[in-house]
Amino acid sequence: MSLEQELKTYEENKERLLSEAKGKFVLIKGDKIIGIYVSQEDALAEGYKRFGNEEFLVKEITEIEPVNFFTRPIVK
């Protein structure tokens, strides 16, 4: 699964991240937390600068994960 290690790293560090940086954005590559950023844009910019087109995770540090619903238009 894509980003499996990054998501595991987030979960393993979630309590610490919540206590230190709730509402901010974390940049994770593999099993390393690269940094904490005020905005998603700043975290993404740093991720692309460091890793180019390689996979990395940018995630908002939140207690409750938001649920996103996407629908596909029905076309005949």
Side-chain angles (χ1 to χ4, degrees), residues 7-71:
L7 290 168
K8 180 180 176 192
T9 300
Y10 175 79
E11 287 302 321
E12 290 173 348
N13 293 278
K14 186 174 181 176
E15 291 303 315
R16 181 178 62 82
L17 291 168
L18 282 169
S19 68
E20 296 175 5
K22 184 177 176 182
K24 294 183 180 178
F25 294 84
V26 61
L27 170 60
I28 300 173
K29 175 70 172 163
D31 62 353
K32 296 189 181 0
I33 294 176
I34 306 303
I36 307 293
Y37 303 86
V38 174
S39 73
Q40 183 179 32
E41 292 80 15
D42 289 344
L44 286 169
E46 184 64 22
Y48 286 122
K49 177 181 163 188
R50 286 182 181 226
F51 308 114
N53 287 331
E54 294 179 26
E55 290 183 336
F56 59 86
L57 177 69
V58 170
K59 183 158 182 35
E60 185 174 9
I61 303 165
T62 60
E63 289 182 58
I64 300 171
E65 299 298 322
V67 177
N68 297 309
F69 292 98
F70 298 95
T71 61

